[in-house]
Amino acid sequence: MENGSPRFPFPYQPYTIQEQFMQSLYCALEQGKVGIFESPTGTGKSLSLICGALSWLRDYEEKRRQETAALLQGGEAVLSTSTSLPSPATQSSTSCSSAEPDWITDFVQKKAERDLVSKLKDDELKRKKREERLEMIRNNVQLKYAMKRKSTEDDEAFKLLQLSKEGPVEASGDPEEEELIIAEYESDDESKTKSKFSGAEDDEDDDLVEEHVTKIYYCSRTHSQLAQFVHEVQKSPFSKDISLVTLGSRQNLCINEEVLRLGSAQRINDRCMELQKNKHEKQHQEESVKRKRGPAKSVCPYVGATALQQLRDEVLGTVHDIEHLLSLGREMHACPYYGTRLAIPPAQLVVLPYQMVLHEATRRASGIQLKGQVLIIDEAHNLSDTLSCIHSSELTGAQLCRAHSQLTQYSDRYRSRLKAKNLMYIKQILFAVEGLVRALGGKVGQNPQSQTTQPGTELLTINNFLFKAQIDNINLFKLQRYFEKSMVSRKLCGFMEKYAGTGVNPHTHTSSNKENRRTEGLNRYLQTLQSSQSAAPVSSADQQGSAEAEKVLSASPMMQVEGFLMALTNSNTDGRVVVHRQGTLSESSVKFLLLNPAVHFAQVLKECRAVIIAGGTMQPVSDFKQELLFSAGVGEERIAEFSCGHVIPPENILPIILCSGPSGQELDFTFQNRDTPRMMDETGRILSNICNVVPGGVVCFFPSYEYSRRIVSHWEASGALARLANKKKIFQEPKKANQVEQVLSEFSRCIQRCAADGGGLSGALLFSVVGGKMSEGINFSDDLGRCVVMVGMPYPNIKSPELQEKMSYLDKHLPHSGGRSAGQALIENLCMKAVNQSIGRAIRHRGDYASIVLCDRRYSRPATISKLPNWIKARTSAHTTFGPAFAALRKFFMDKKQKQLQA
């Protein structure tokens, strides 16, 4: 720092708003605040976050070094002045008024001072060791370190990868069978006497339990956003000095082709865990010779301890994104998934997806420790919804029947070899699954596709659902611990992988015809389930969804059951269960809906030193604070807010609210009015006029796919679509995600050709949907988006049972504000959040310019205007008639054209 003010290294001269952003961020981290930071896309938000946060981390570490050095120096000086203790005789004469002799008090004080100095020395020594090791890594001098730890490398990998240890089991003819047997289960009470020994073991070697350095966790929604952030770090002045690791799922980081071919995330996870367990079988080499079906239980070749350590060192030495990690992993023959997890403790910046940090069980499994650390949540405008989705859970009748059948077969086969406590808990799980099926109106043991249910939707509190399913007498907390410790879901997955659908009789090595018939029955039943699912008629539009459903069905359903039962341990007031019957048991479902996301966010806020919640637009902030922060117990004094304008000049944006169209028709796209021919015709006339004066690309957002289809069909019949096509080439947003890139590419090429030709067409018109593939994360910069048109207000479906329950919950638990209930505020906020995300697509950098046209008189209400981003709100004008609005639009683009000609 210079003169008490932090300095921020930056790759170029920062804008004023970037300097303000970094200064505010630095203060929020220093003071341990919960910061809400709003910075429009195109203002360099990522770079400001990087340089502001890492400047704080640099100064924080330097300050700690200085304080430790000063305390050490001061402590040693104090101790050196008194090398001997005063004699009791001397002290006793002056201690008349003291409860204890002064020589005892002095001794205690000196001992405390010596202990403090000793602790400071230990801390300083650990810090120096960490820095030396990191320096050694960066200089690629790893040989000595590797040799030092060679004797313990297998134990270290085993421990840090958090792989479960299995107790001894009785010998058997087939070693693969032993892997499927659940080890003897100990409850928490039974294992208390053993826990103290694990602590002693941890202290044996300080290197094995690596201390977490002060770090910053940065999370965002998608892997592409994380990769973009890492590229910004690489461009920053901190790229050479920071130790960064990017975390991801096995699906994104696995390099084992055999595992990747399994497709679904759940199957990849299950197979990976099985491979890790096989690696730690003591007699693996001898057993592999005895195997009759060796390939079924192979070992992953990418998890050797030495290779993982070398990959970890390489990761910490240079900033890598996920693509580089995959290349490195293949080159070094080391797993990027486990290598990056080993790199978490010494890393200063950890980049990871939302769910890995916001879900407690995932945090624990990944080795993420938030205590005293900094968390930055980017793209956080939908944080509340994200938390609700992460902690919600859904099960179909088909999955429930499948899970029950699998566990029944497992229990029958290994009954004689499972301990009594395991059998007791398995019986409880089966009983719970039967109850869930019963709540859907069905029975286990029969094909769910052939069982009919009375169609309807029912919303229940958690307690009422437990009573309805008749499982209220089961202790779900104990059951949850059993799932976690016994790994029964994974054992079951291994059992199914070994026996189901192989076409091989699984009991050829035994003489029990009864067992043969039982397992053959299992295979037939599972095949019936799969064939009945795939036999259902599927429309072309739903093929993608069906493929996903098939992946979920083929994955271990007990994992989903485990997640659902865990969700039921939430407080009765914080969630609801939706029982949805759809004609057949197979298609019916039970869904846990989290109503209070703050309950899961509270732990994050409590543990972290500071939490920064950042986004392009965080409006409306007041409701965000109420629902997510105040409800989590955060006081107003801990919250810091920062909102900046855009880097573009004010004259580069023209936001217009249209209250009526060219023919004078009032624009009111309420559900009752929007389908009328006159409203659809007026919308066509508005677009036609806009296309006459706007060059390049026009992006028009409709409130839903269904409304987009209806209005385009109407224009096709009336000839309006053909008239629009004469002015600009028309493109429509595809429903399938894998076609988005192609449509965008053609849209872009068309605009470029039109600009170059200067012929009849003046660009392109793209029909999009709010909340669709192109309303978030897509850049319509420069000529791609000179005008964004919003048709109507995209209110969510208020008839949705889930939304109604959420509104009811908020009305009961949150105060009214501005004369409206918290439930009404939720509806308005969801709508305006979606609008803000869509209209922010056009302005992407300082030199960009665009117009925004909001077509609906309801946008002109002061309460609605107030929810627009500040940088848009300040320039917004509402027009009751179309003429002045169109004149302003024409003048805006004529001025821009004139400036370009002069330039």
Side-chain angles (χ1 to χ4, degrees), residues 47 54 105 161 169 208 267 291 345 415 480 549 615-616 618 677 767 899:
L47 207 48
L54 294 183
T105 307
L161 297 180
V169 294
L208 290 183
R267 293 183 70 192
R291 284 180 181 165
R415 182 175 299 278
Q480 179 183 338
M618 297 300 296
F767 294 143
K899 281 186 180 179

Side-chain angles (χ1 to χ4, degrees), residues 379-390:
E379 301 297 327
H381 51 275
N382 285 329
L383 180 58
S384 181
D385 294 338
T386 301
L387 281 161
S388 295
C389 288
I390 288 173

Side-chain angles (χ1 to χ4, degrees), residues 45 160 270 394 497 733 744 796:
K45 171 166 59 77
L160 290 176
D270 293 344
E394 187 170 15
E497 185 180 287
E733 176 180 322
L744 279 175

Side-chain angles (χ1 to χ4, degrees), residues 317-608:
T318 313
V319 176
H320 300 283
D321 63 14
I322 281 186
E323 293 304 316
H324 288 137
L325 286 176
L326 291 171
S327 301
L328 268 177
R330 293 188 183 100
E331 181 185 322
M332 301 175 73
H333 217 63
C335 172
Y337 177 75
Y338 284 114
T340 52
R341 280 173 61 176
L342 288 178
I344 295 173
Q348 295 167 295
L349 180 56
V350 179
V351 179
L352 68 174
Y354 272 177
Q355 59 273 20
M356 288 188 79
V357 77
L358 296 177
H359 190 267
E360 186 185 2
T362 309
R363 280 202 306 275
R364 201 166 55 240
S366 303
I368 294 163
Q369 296 180 12
L370 295 180
K371 186 71 175 174
Q373 308 290 21
V374 170
L375 172 62
I376 297 175
I377 305 173
D378 203 359
E379 301 297 327
H381 51 275
N382 285 329
L383 180 58
S384 181
D385 294 338
T386 301
L387 281 161
S388 295
C389 288
I390 288 173
H391 293 93
S392 294
S393 179
E394 187 170 15
L395 280 170
T396 65
Q399 286 174 311
L400 285 166
C401 290
R402 191 174 171 84
H404 189 277
S405 174
Q406 289 179 3
L407 190 56
T408 301
Q409 295 294 329
Y410 178 90
S411 175
D412 286 350
R413 175 170 177 79
Y414 300 122
R415 182 175 299 278
S416 62
R417 296 168 63 187
L418 289 169
K419 301 294 183 184
K421 189 158 282 190
N422 281 317
L423 289 170
M424 180 194 78
Y425 276 109
I426 287 174
K427 189 175 180 181
Q428 283 192 22
I429 295 169
L430 288 170
F431 182 77
V433 174
E434 286 173 28
L436 298 181
V437 173
R438 191 162 46 240
L440 285 172
K443 292 180 180 178
V444 296
Q446 301 174 19
N447 189 338
Q449 188 72 23
S450 60
Q451 294 187 60
T452 57
T453 59
Q454 188 66 37
T457 300
E458 194 176 3
L459 263 157
L460 301 165
T461 64
I462 296 173
N463 288 348
N464 286 344
F465 176 76
L466 294 173
F467 289 131
K468 183 182 179 68
Q470 297 172 24
I471 57 173
D472 52 292
N473 58 336
I474 292 180
N475 186 327
L476 292 179
F477 291 98
K478 281 191 174 182
L479 205 59
Q480 179 183 338
R481 283 196 292 274
Y482 178 74
F483 269 116
E484 290 173 357
K485 288 188 174 184
S486 69
M487 295 176 65
V488 60
S489 298
R490 297 197 185 281
K491 299 283 186 183
L492 194 55
C493 181
F495 172 72
M496 293 310 300
E497 185 180 287
K498 183 176 176 68
Y499 291 132
T502 59
V504 178
N505 190 327
H507 295 283
T508 51
H509 63 285
T510 72
S511 58
S512 170
N513 289 328
K514 183 180 179 183
E515 285 188 352
N516 287 343
R517 288 194 299 273
R518 187 166 60 224
T519 310
E520 284 166 8
L522 165 66
N523 286 333
R524 281 198 302 274
Y525 174 66
L526 295 180
Q527 285 163 7
T528 303
L529 268 182
Q530 284 181 316
S531 61
S532 62
Q533 282 287 313
S534 58
V538 180
S539 67
S540 59
D542 293 332
Q543 280 176 351
Q544 192 177 2
S546 297
E548 287 301 314
E550 193 175 330
K551 282 184 183 178
V552 171
L553 183 68
S554 62
S556 170
M558 191 55 73
M559 291 285 183
Q560 277 74 32
V561 171
E562 182 179 341
F564 186 82
L565 293 176
M566 187 183 297
L568 293 180
T569 61
N570 277 276
S571 166
N572 188 52
T573 56
D574 291 334
R576 295 289 182 273
V577 179
V578 184
V579 180
H580 190 46
R581 300 185 190 88
Q582 277 193 276
T584 67
L585 175 61
S586 180
E587 294 167 346
S588 300
S589 64
V590 284
K591 179 179 181 180
F592 173 78
L593 178 68
L594 181 69
L595 298 177
N596 180 18
V599 71
H600 291 288
F601 198 42
Q603 189 64 29
V604 172
L605 293 166
K606 182 181 175 183
E607 287 188 11
C608 290

